[in-house]
Amino acid sequence: MKETSVKRAHASRRAILKAGAAAGLVGAAGLASAGSASADGATYPAVQSYDVIVIGGGFAGVTAARELRKKGKRTLILEARNRVGGRAWSSTFSGLPIEFGATWIHPSQTLIWNEVQRLGIARVDDPNPDYAVFATESGGYARQDLAFLEHQDALLRRFVEGAEQYMPRPYDPFHRADLLADVDKLTLGDRARQLRLTTLERNWVSATTGAYGGGFERGSLTQLARWWALCGYNTETFHGINVTRPVGGMSGIITKLLAESGATIVYNAPVTKVADNGSRVQVTAGGAVYDAGSVVVAVPVNVWNSINFTAGLPAEFGRLSTETVGVPTAKKILIQVQGDIGRPLVNGKSGAPLDLVLANTDKSSQGTVLVAFSVNPNLDANNQSQIQRAITEVLPGTKVLSVKGHDWGQDPYAKGAWTFMRPGQLLRSLRAVRQPHGRLVFAGSDIATGWAGYVDGAIESGAQAAAVAANLSGAAALA
Ligand SMILES: Cc1cc2nc3c(=O)[nH]c(=O)nc-3n(C[C@H](O)[C@H](O)[C@H](O)COP(=O)(O)OP(=O)(O)OC[C@H]3O[C@@H](n4cnc5c(N)ncnc54)[C@H](O)[C@@H]3O)c2cc1C
């Protein structure tokens, strides 16, 4: 990791301008970003002081900045990319608006739902699928009518049976820590074995269990149980949370929140070093050094290990980051196919190239656009012939015209997709990494106690971190 000389003295105006250029555009929040990162090799010593620095401009970081403004704090956001939103990223494909990450919201996710209502953003429901596709006894796939989904739901209910007892309070996953000790050890695969599921049954329920966890042998049963509890322990809400989308996309929401924050934001500014000297914190990004009384670290858990925290962090931080919390093999793929193939809901087998395929809300002029999710480590999300083979297996006769995917595990500023903890992480690590460490407070959907793995959890965590960081910054020595 590159070491940059840190000078506490006030930087000259020339140095600040150089630093700004090295790190990308410094802007008032809400302005469009531009410029390119040229951090490598840029070693301009400059110090710019703020009350609080927020590292990462996803929903957690931007919410933190917005809350800090309410407390009168002068806040800087340092964002590695040329956009805000992180794992929420609205884009276009085949001339249609699409999402590479977060897509759906639900009234039970009260924080994001309330923000959207307050901002006057309309919502639209995806149409229902026309038919389902499931694995068959003979090893292939067959079309089924939607009533077949009841088989999948019955298996899902068996998976999470008992969650009302061991996870009785959805926003307090530790409430029955005594009962969790045995459950939190289990992978989803362990649970399937406890239930003595046949291979066919595993294949029917994989898309709503194993695949969520990045594979049956990666994800923990308790993470699934947390989502089940948040959904009121019923399949209607469990599926209902993947139906309603905000008009204008997720990027539209966060752009508005950023504007409200009034924070200064530097794009193309990947943070490489955080030095907490006990009375102030210096943060190095793109060759520039910024100083604050406290710092909110709102980057994904999987990214923590790529930042040099010079004062050291308790071992749980490094361990969690190495083990991964965000699913490291997850990809989302947009697929343009020829003609009108209706609205399928494909449930891939365990280990299949594609775990879930569904129709995009809108059709394109060329035919149907499909949205696919994959946690298969061998799938190249932008390889059209691999995707064609995978689509032919589940929807025979369907011609793929083009694909555009994003591999979240290969993304250096995410290193994984949605949150799905592994066995043991809930009980062993979550409480530890939610504690402030010195002048640093960690935030993000990955470490939310409520909707971890969803935008709502990012907002929850960002707001909580802001409250702590505001107090810490108030107690800081003046720069
Ligand atoms: C494919 C997919 C589908 C999903 N679907 C849904 C859904 O339908 N509904 C839903 O609610 N949620 C969904 N999620 C989850 C949701 O996207 C996340 O929970 C949420 O966006 C996480 O927000 P965050 O702020 O915690 O982290 P992030 O969004 O990851 O934000 C972290 C920010 O930190 C930045 N960063 C990283 N490293 C550095 C560094 N060194 N220096 C500076 N900045 C850095 C990143 O660029 C990023 O902007 C989905 C996620 C994925 C990947």
Side-chain angles (χ1 to χ4, degrees):
M1 194 160 294
K2 181 162 62 73
E3 291 289 322
T4 311
S5 65
V6 179
K7 287 192 179 170
R8 299 288 322 284
H10 287 289
S12 70
R13 181 172 162 70
R14 194 163 155 258
I16 289 174
L17 288 173
K18 276 182 172 178
L25 278 195
V26 183
L31 297 181
S33 72
S36 60
S38 56
D40 290 346
T43 54
Y44 306 112
V47 178
Q48 303 166 54
S49 280
Y50 294 85
D51 295 326
V52 182
I53 292 173
V54 175
I55 306 175
F59 269 93
V62 169
T63 300
R66 197 263 311 262
E67 295 302 307
L68 284 159
R69 180 186 205 177
K70 292 181 190 163
K71 294 174 188 302
K73 299 295 175 186
R74 208 170 143 251
T75 303
L76 171 72
I77 302 173
L78 294 171
E79 167 52 52
R81 307 176 197 266
N82 64 357
R83 61 170 181 86
V84 283
R87 285 172 280 177
W89 177 21
S90 310
S91 184
T92 55
F93 175 68
S94 270
L96 300 174
I98 56 99
E99 299 283 355
F100 277 120
T103 304
W104 298 288
I105 59 174
H106 188 266
S108 63
Q109 298 164 342
T110 52
L111 299 175
I112 181 64
W113 194 263
N114 290 346
E115 293 289 357
V116 165
Q117 284 199 312
R118 186 182 60 77
L119 293 166
I121 295 171
R123 280 86 59 197
V124 61
D125 285 356
D126 282 354
N128 283 333
D130 300 326
Y131 58 95
V133 173
F134 275 96
T136 60
E137 194 93 49
S138 59
Y141 285 92
R143 270 190 190 215
Q144 305 285 354
D145 70 38
L146 295 179
F148 197 90
L149 289 165
E150 182 43 42
H151 294 296
Q152 187 185 49
D153 285 350
L155 290 165
L156 172 62
R157 283 190 287 267
R158 288 179 65 196
F159 252 84
V160 285
E161 203 178 316
E164 287 92 335
Q165 283 75 50
Y166 64 75
M167 199 63 71
R169 295 193 184 173
Y171 288 89
D172 177 9
F174 306 111
H175 185 65
R176 290 306 308 265
D178 56 328
L179 299 181
L180 285 180
D182 286 335
V183 188
D184 196 36
K185 289 179 191 150
L186 302 179
T187 61
L188 294 162
D190 292 332
R191 180 64 174 155
R193 286 182 284 277
Q194 267 187 357
L195 296 172
R196 298 182 187 281
L197 298 193
T198 63
T199 303
L200 189 59
E201 287 172 325
R202 267 173 68 113
N203 287 337
W204 284 349
V205 80
S206 175
T208 54
T209 58
Y212 277 153
F216 275 106
E217 304 312 327
R218 181 192 173 279
S220 65
L221 175 61
T222 49
Q223 180 74 58
L224 188 69
R226 288 173 68 190
W227 289 356
W228 181 249
L230 287 158
C231 291
Y233 313 95
N234 70 76
T235 49
E236 196 185 332
T237 310
F238 193 80
H239 301 307
I241 59 174
N242 298 332
V243 171
T244 307
R245 56 179 74 215
V247 172
M250 288 292 182
S251 296
I253 304 174
I254 198 164
T255 304
K256 288 189 161 68
L257 297 181
L258 179 66
E260 288 182 342
S261 80
T264 302
I265 183 162
V266 186
Y267 291 100
N268 304 310
V271 167
T272 49
K273 186 165 115 174
V274 177
D276 178 354
N277 69 16
S279 57
R280 301 286 297 176
V281 188
Q282 276 86 46
V283 179
T284 304
V289 180
Y290 306 87
D291 166 279
S294 64
V295 168
V296 175
V297 183
V299 305
V301 168
N302 295 8
V303 171
W304 289 350
N305 277 352
S306 57
I307 297 175
N308 177 10
F309 294 95
T310 58
L313 290 173
E316 270 323 318
F317 286 81
R319 183 168 171 192
L320 206 57
S321 185
T322 304
E323 287 179 350
T324 73
V325 168
V327 172
T329 55
K331 299 126 192 142
K332 189 168 176 184
I333 308 150
L334 281 301
I335 308 170
Q336 171 73 62
V337 302
Q338 198 169 43
D340 186 351
I341 66 161
R343 299 187 61 81
L345 176 59
V346 176
N347 295 269
K349 299 178 211 172
S350 169
L354 301 176
D355 295 287
L356 187 69
V357 183
L358 40 96
N360 188 50
T361 315
D362 310 305
K363 294 192 186 311
S364 77
S365 54
Q366 290 173 284
T368 311
V369 172
L370 301 174
V371 182
F373 295 82
S374 170
V375 296
N376 186 314
N378 302 317
L379 186 85
D380 176 347
N382 283 293
N383 183 318
Q384 191 170 326
S385 48
Q386 276 189 31
I387 306 288
Q388 175 69 73
R389 276 198 298 281
I391 287 291
T392 300
E393 205 186 340
V394 291
L395 296 166
T398 303
K399 184 171 168 47
V400 173
L401 300 176
S402 61
V403 301
K404 192 172 171 185
H406 190 67
D407 187 334
W408 286 98
Q410 297 302 310
D411 180 327
Y413 305 123
K415 295 192 173 188
W418 56 86
T419 310
F420 207 101
M421 286 199 155
R422 304 182 67 178
Q425 290 181 339
L426 172 65
L427 280 187
R428 191 199 68 217
S429 308
L430 185 57
R431 272 182 285 216
V433 299
R434 286 173 54 80
Q435 296 304 315
H437 185 70
R439 297 190 163 275
L440 313 182
V441 193
F442 287 73
S445 184
D446 293 339
I447 58 169
T449 50
W451 283 97
Y454 293 84
V455 165
D456 198 79
I459 295 175
E460 169 207 308
S461 173
Q464 289 172 352
V468 180
N471 284 338
L472 287 170
S473 85
L478 287 179

